[in-house]
Amino acid sequence: GLPPALAARRHRVMTISPRYDQYKDAWDTSVAVEVKVGDSIEIVRFFHCYKRGVDRVFVDHPMFLEKVWGKTASKIYGPKAGLDYLDNELRFSLLCQAALEAPKVLNLNSSNYFSGPYGEDVLFIANDWHTALIPCYLKSMYQSRGI
């Protein structure tokens, strides 16, 4: 409820989620970024749709799609309740880094009021453990470079 409520007050709002499924309304932006996850460089793509005044962005990477309920007979966070996947730290590090890049690299023109990239003057709301690395990355990887 928060994103549409903020959009109704004429704020430009983007939500960022893993692409766990083939969301029928989301289209491939053809924008890809590289993020360092563990010892490797991973490429993520962004899918986008615009609903209720909100840019809904989905981070596309095989680490997310392969965990979809119904396709792998598994759940999103672990193979069964109370048990995590061994790669959760890597998956959500990838999500956080992609989320920090999205406002800078996506040229979104969905709204009648806003167009283009969000830029650097943004507020991030990290609302669950999956996004807990965002404040750490902001401080260590972005603020240290004056971003």
Side-chain angles (χ1 to χ4, degrees):
L2 180 60
L6 290 172
R9 292 178 175 247
R10 303 249 191 225
H11 293 286
R12 190 172 188 195
V13 181
M14 175 190 297
T15 62
I16 302 175
S17 303
R19 185 170 176 248
Y20 287 123
D21 205 348
Q22 312 288 343
Y23 302 105
K24 67 178 180 172
D25 297 331
W27 53 274
D28 187 346
T29 64
S30 300
V31 175
V33 295
E34 293 180 348
V35 296
K36 185 170 177 15
V37 180
D39 294 328
S40 66
I41 300 293
E42 298 291 333
I43 296 173
V44 297
R45 295 177 67 90
F46 296 101
F47 280 65
H48 172 257
C49 68
Y50 187 75
K51 287 188 176 180
R52 297 178 61 198
V54 177
D55 285 306
R56 309 231 179 226
V57 174
F58 301 94
V59 176
D60 181 55
H61 189 275
M63 282 196 281
F64 296 122
L65 278 176
E66 68 190 13
K67 302 290 196 267
V68 177
W69 176 265
K71 299 195 177 174
T72 63
S74 298
K75 296 186 179 183
I76 294 173
Y77 307 118
K80 62 182 183 175
L83 184 63
D84 291 336
Y85 288 118
L86 297 177
D87 67 350
N88 276 355
E89 293 86 358
L90 297 176
R91 291 190 308 136
F92 296 115
S93 171
L94 182 137
L95 172 67
C96 292
Q97 291 180 69
L100 290 168
E101 289 296 311
K104 296 188 324 180
V105 301
L106 292 176
N107 189 13
L108 304 175
N109 298 306
S110 306
S111 168
N112 293 332
Y113 308 104
F114 304 106
S115 65
Y118 281 58
E120 294 178 14
D121 188 17
V122 297
L123 169 71
F124 287 93
I125 299 173
N127 70 331
D128 207 344
W129 69 267
H130 312 97
T131 56
L133 288 172
I134 286 177
C136 301
Y137 288 152
L138 275 172
K139 184 173 183 178
S140 66
M141 297 167 57
Y142 291 83
Q143 281 185 343
S144 65
R145 294 183 293 154
I147 301 172

